[in-house]
Amino acid sequence: MEVVESHPDHFQVEVLTAGSNADLLIEQSLRHQPNTVVIGDAQQYQKVMDALDPQGIKVYSDGAIADVVTMEGIDLVLTALVGYAGLLPTINAIKAGKNIALANKETLVVAGQLITSLAEENAVNIYPVDSEHSAIFQCLLGEWQNPIEKIVLTASGGPFRGREREFLRNVTKADALKHPNWDMGAKITIDSATLMNKGLEVIEATWLFGLRLDQVEVVVHPQSIIHSMVQFNDGSIKAQMGLPDMKLPILFALSYPKRLPTDFPRMNFTQYPQLTFEQPDLQTFRNLALAFEASDKGGNMPCVLNAANEIAVSEFLKERIGFLEMSDVVETCLSKMPFIKTPSYEDYVETDKETRIKALEIIN
Ligand code: MG
C-alpha cells in the first residue's frame, strides 16, 4: 500500500482483501477507496460492512476472493495470500486475462505446470514479487534470447545459520520468528528459518523461468544485498543488488517495464565492505533437500511438500511439534502419498486435502 501511495498517478486500488485483520482492511479502504473489499473471516464481515458500506464500498466475505479478481476494472492482480489458498484466485484471475504480480510462491510450487500453461493460453504475464525472482527477472531484461546456464538464488540462511541439529531441537517459536534481514509474516518467517522458503523458491524459479532443476543453485549470502544472479552461457554473471526492502520488488512488478522514481534508502557500498557466500547445510536444514527431491520427482509431489509443510508450520506455531519435526512430517508425507505424474486441477485439490490429513495423523 505504501508503494501504491507513493505513485498515485500510476496506481488505483480496485479491490482489497484481508484474511481476518478487519481493522487494517478498514483503515486501508478508507484511504484508498477501492470499489470492493473481501474479508476472509466471516465473523468480521458485519464490522467491515458497517464501516465501509456508507462509503459506497462493496463488501464481501469468505470465498468471494476467487470471483472478485475477475472484475472488469482490474488490470493486474497482486496475489499475496499465504499458501495453497492463493491457488484458485490466481487461476481465476489468469482465466479472466489479468496480469499477475505473484507474491504467493506456493501457487507455482503446487501447480506450476497448470499455472504456466494457463498463463500462456490467456496471454497473461506473471511478474515475480519474491525478491529473488524479481532479481532474476531484472537480470534477464534485454537478455530474453540468450540461454541461461544457471541461476544462483541467494539465501540469508535465516536466524539459525551455522547452527547444528542439537541446537535446533530445542529452539522456540519466538526464536524462529526473529529473521535477521526481512520483516515478513509468520508462515514465511518460519519457512525462512527452516530453509523451506528457499526450497519453495527453487521450485518457483524452475516454473517462472523455464529452468531444469540442475540449473538452479542456492548460495547462502547472509547480508542479503545480492538478491539473486543469472549466469549466461558465456560465463558472464549478472546480479541484482540493493538493500533488503520488499518495496522495490513490489514496485517493479507493478511498474514493469518502467522504473518509477523512489526515495527508498540507497545502498552505500562502503557500509558493506564484505559480502560473503557459503554452501547451504542440507543435512541440518533438510527441508531444502526435500524440496529438491519433490521437484525432481515432479507430478503432485511439490503439492504434497507444500501441504505437509503448511500443516507442519502451523502445528509448530501452535507449539505442538518441535523445529526439527517439521522436516519429519514433510519427509513422511512425501514417501507415503500416492504419486500422480500429470495431475489435473482436481488431483491437486485432492492431493492437498489428503496430505493435510496424513500430516495431522503423523503429528497426533
Ligand atoms: Mg524470497
Side-chain angles (χ1 to χ4, degrees):
M1 302 315 292
E2 285 170 42
V3 166
V4 166
E5 269 173 44
S6 66
H7 293 281
D9 302 346
H10 286 84
F11 307 122
Q12 196 187 336
V13 179
E14 268 299 289
V15 174
L16 280 178
T17 73
S20 56
N21 194 341
D23 292 332
L24 186 58
L25 180 64
I26 291 167
E27 182 197 314
Q28 292 178 338
S29 300
L30 293 175
R31 277 171 91 94
H32 290 273
Q33 295 290 319
N35 179 309
T36 299
V37 303
V38 181
I39 177 81
D41 179 359
Q43 293 190 352
Q44 309 274 348
Y45 172 76
Q46 200 54 49
K47 181 178 183 179
V48 179
M49 186 70 183
D50 291 344
L52 300 182
D53 186 57
Q55 304 278 323
I57 298 172
K58 296 187 203 78
V59 180
Y60 297 101
S61 179
D62 214 16
I65 293 177
D67 295 323
V68 297
V69 293
T70 65
M71 275 170 41
E72 209 170 308
I74 299 174
D75 302 311
L76 179 135
V77 177
L78 190 143
T79 74
L81 281 86
V82 177
Y84 175 83
L87 183 60
L88 186 59
T90 308
I91 288 177
N92 286 2
I94 293 173
K95 284 183 177 166
K98 313 298 184 190
N99 285 326
I100 305 291
L102 191 73
N104 170 266
K105 65 192 78 185
E106 290 90 344
T107 291
L108 278 180
V109 170
V110 168
Q113 177 78 64
L114 180 71
I115 294 289
T116 49
S117 53
L118 269 179
E120 206 169 318
E121 276 166 37
N122 291 280
V124 157
N125 293 322
I126 300 178
Y127 304 119
V129 171
D130 213 342
S131 61
E132 293 79 0
H133 305 75
S134 175
I136 290 160
F137 182 54
Q138 293 179 58
C139 291
L140 289 174
L141 296 180
E143 304 271 11
W144 306 120
Q145 306 302 321
N146 294 328
I148 298 170
E149 196 163 83
K150 68 172 184 185
I151 63 169
V152 180
L153 286 181
T154 51
S156 70
F160 306 135
R161 182 177 61 88
R163 296 295 192 172
E164 288 175 2
R165 290 185 69 78
E166 219 28 66
F167 176 88
L168 293 179
R169 202 172 300 284
N170 299 313
V171 295
T172 64
K173 165 182 156 181
D175 297 332
L177 283 172
K178 279 184 212 126
H179 195 280
N181 301 342
W182 301 94
D183 181 12
M184 307 176 288
K187 158 78 167 47
I188 188 172
T189 304
I190 300 300
D191 283 345
S192 296
T194 65
L195 292 202
M196 180 57 95
N197 182 54
K198 209 49 54 181
L200 300 178
E201 288 180 354
V202 167
I203 302 174
E204 181 187 11
T206 61
W207 291 114
L208 271 176
F209 305 109
L211 301 170
R212 298 184 315 270
L213 194 55
D214 64 2
Q215 290 176 288
V216 185
E217 187 180 320
V218 173
V219 169
V220 175
H221 167 47
Q223 298 82 16
S224 295
I225 293 298
I226 294 183
H227 299 315
S228 278
M229 303 178 250
V230 178
Q231 181 173 313
F232 294 93
N233 62 353
D234 60 355
S236 176
I237 297 171
K238 283 166 88 172
Q240 191 266 337
M241 307 172 76
L243 296 173
D245 181 348
M246 282 310 297
K247 287 204 281 290
L248 200 128
I250 293 167
L251 175 63
F252 193 65
L254 298 182
S255 69
Y256 173 84
K258 283 190 192 141
R259 289 190 185 274
L260 299 179
T262 75
D263 57 3
F264 304 156
R266 270 31 178 181
M267 182 178 154
N268 177 346
F269 273 85
T270 58
Q271 284 173 358
Y272 293 88
Q274 275 201 318
L275 297 181
T276 61
F277 305 91
E278 54 198 70
Q279 290 279 3
D281 176 354
L282 297 181
Q283 265 78 48
T284 306
F285 298 94
R286 279 159 58 223
N287 276 354
L288 182 56
L290 292 171
F292 269 96
E293 266 176 55
S295 176
D296 189 40
K297 285 183 188 150
N300 63 337
M301 286 297 119
C303 179
V304 170
L305 175 92
N306 178 69
N309 183 58
E310 287 193 25
I311 293 294
V313 171
S314 124
E315 296 299 294
F316 175 74
L317 286 171
K318 291 179 200 154
E319 300 181 309
R320 296 189 55 213
I321 57 172
F323 188 85
L324 292 177
E325 285 166 280
M326 287 191 275
S327 302
D328 298 339
V329 172
V330 174
E331 187 168 26
T332 310
C333 286
L334 282 174
S335 67
K336 293 272 162 71
M337 296 305 294
F339 178 65
I340 304 171
K341 194 166 190 297
T342 34
S344 64
Y345 174 71
E346 289 70 27
D347 291 328
Y348 287 125
V349 172
E350 186 68 10
T351 297
D352 179 78
K353 193 177 111 199
E354 293 299 322
T355 305
R356 284 166 197 267
I357 293 169
K358 173 64 74 186
L360 283 170
E361 259 173 43
I362 296 164
I363 291 164
N364 289 328

